[in-house]
Amino acid sequence: MLKYSWKSFLWSLAYILILLSLFTPLSIITFSIMLVPAIILAVTLNKKTLVLQYMISILICSFIFPPLSIGIVILSLFILIPSIIMSSLYKKESAAVTIVIGTITMLVLFVSVLFVGSLLDFNISTAMEELVNEVVLQYPELSEITTEQTLMMLQNMLPFYLIMSSVFIVVISHWVSRVILQKMDIQIPKMKPIKDWKLPKSLIWYYLGALLLQLFMNPEEGSYTMLITVNLIPLLSFIFSIQAISFIFYIADLKKWRFLPILGIVLYPFMYFVYSFLGMLDIAFDIRKGFTT
């Protein structure tokens, strides 16, 4: 890997900059690509060199911002652990398996950070309440009932937000890393074309089960049943909407309608629930087959 020595130096620098940016307002941008430098370093370097560059990066960051040393170490591990796992999986697993395991790893780390935060007297509910109160100050027309409902929804749907954040970070990081590594003549597995994505039918039964729980059991606020339904239903709805995008790409490829994928993506935010229903139909009945016969 000697030919990558200068590149690894630049990516170590990028790792440092992204790590430090997470303590600034720039984190809104860099949060989504924070794994990229670490993934590239983990793929291109051997373990000893990776550990050495990681230690040097942490020392530099801690030297620049001594008061943030503990936070820097925690964040650096938060970035490094999934990056190493994903880079290792690239050698023996498909892109889909790597993304799934990477997402699970990120989710476990999110939960671990919240747990450690609770031990250090950080209360996520209090943080959410402060966020909602800031919004209310900016928009006084919002009623107290509305703010209470919003706060309750944020607290109840925290698992959903953590899962979606994990998926978003891992998918974006995989895509960006693969593009960069290709430029460096390093190949890592790529996802199947979106038109070929087909999700398991068992998801339909999970969705129906969650709906039945919500409709007939009328779960109490704060109960485990309520937490399951309030997070599982929107999560599966999102998954079904992605299946709909796959269906649209499949039809576009079959009919040679090049405009359809662009139109489908543009309309996605405005027809989200229609897409979810369409994706559900495609999973349950494989309706795309009807266009090939």
Side-chain angles (χ1 to χ4, degrees), residues 176-293:
V176 175
S177 298
R178 186 176 180 279
V179 170
I180 294 171
L181 288 168
Q182 249 185 334
K183 300 289 186 182
M184 299 168 65
D185 294 324
I186 298 175
Q187 298 298 321
I188 62 173
K190 65 177 181 179
M191 293 287 291
K192 285 183 180 179
I194 191 170
K195 67 182 180 67
D196 296 330
W197 291 4
K198 197 71 173 69
L199 298 169
K201 290 186 178 182
S202 57
L203 294 177
I204 301 294
W205 297 109
Y206 296 143
Y207 185 77
L208 291 175
L211 279 180
L212 290 173
L213 281 175
Q214 190 175 60
L215 290 172
F216 297 108
M217 290 192 65
N218 193 23
E220 295 181 0
E221 184 68 36
S223 67
Y224 286 113
T225 305
M226 189 276 296
L227 289 175
I228 290 171
T229 57
V230 82
N231 287 281
L232 190 58
I233 290 174
L235 178 61
L236 290 174
S237 296
F238 171 75
I239 291 172
F240 294 150
S241 71
I242 298 301
Q243 182 64 49
I245 295 291
S246 171
F247 174 77
I248 290 171
F249 273 67
Y250 175 83
I251 298 301
D253 180 71
L254 184 68
K255 302 295 184 180
K256 307 303 179 185
W257 294 341
R258 295 187 178 182
F259 68 91
L260 190 58
I262 298 174
L263 182 63
I265 292 172
V266 169
L267 293 177
Y268 178 83
F270 308 102
M271 301 179 65
Y272 176 78
F273 293 106
V274 175
Y275 278 47
S276 292
F277 184 67
L278 176 61
M280 195 185 308
L281 290 178
D282 190 37
I283 293 173
F285 304 109
D286 203 9
I287 56 177
R288 62 181 67 190
K289 283 185 178 179
F291 292 85
T292 58
T293 55

Side-chain angles (χ1 to χ4, degrees), residues 79-148:
I79 295 172
L80 189 69
I81 291 172
S83 301
I84 291 176
I85 290 173
M86 289 177 68
S87 67
S88 177
L89 289 170
Y90 283 141
K91 299 173 184 177
K92 52 188 177 182
E93 299 290 351
S94 66
V97 171
T98 301
I99 287 172
V100 170
I101 296 177
T103 299
I104 293 172
T105 304
M106 285 296 301
L107 184 58
V108 170
L109 288 170
F110 270 128
V111 174
S112 300
V113 168
L114 290 177
F115 176 73
V116 172
S118 67
L119 297 178
L120 300 174
D121 294 328
F122 171 76
N123 192 315
I124 186 67
S125 297
T126 303
M128 287 181 175
E129 187 174 355
E130 291 175 355
L131 177 63
V132 171
N133 289 336
E134 288 180 10
V135 174
V136 172
L137 289 175
Q138 294 179 8
Y139 302 95
E141 63 272 16
L142 294 175
S143 66
E144 185 177 343
I145 296 176
T146 303
T147 56
E148 288 179 0

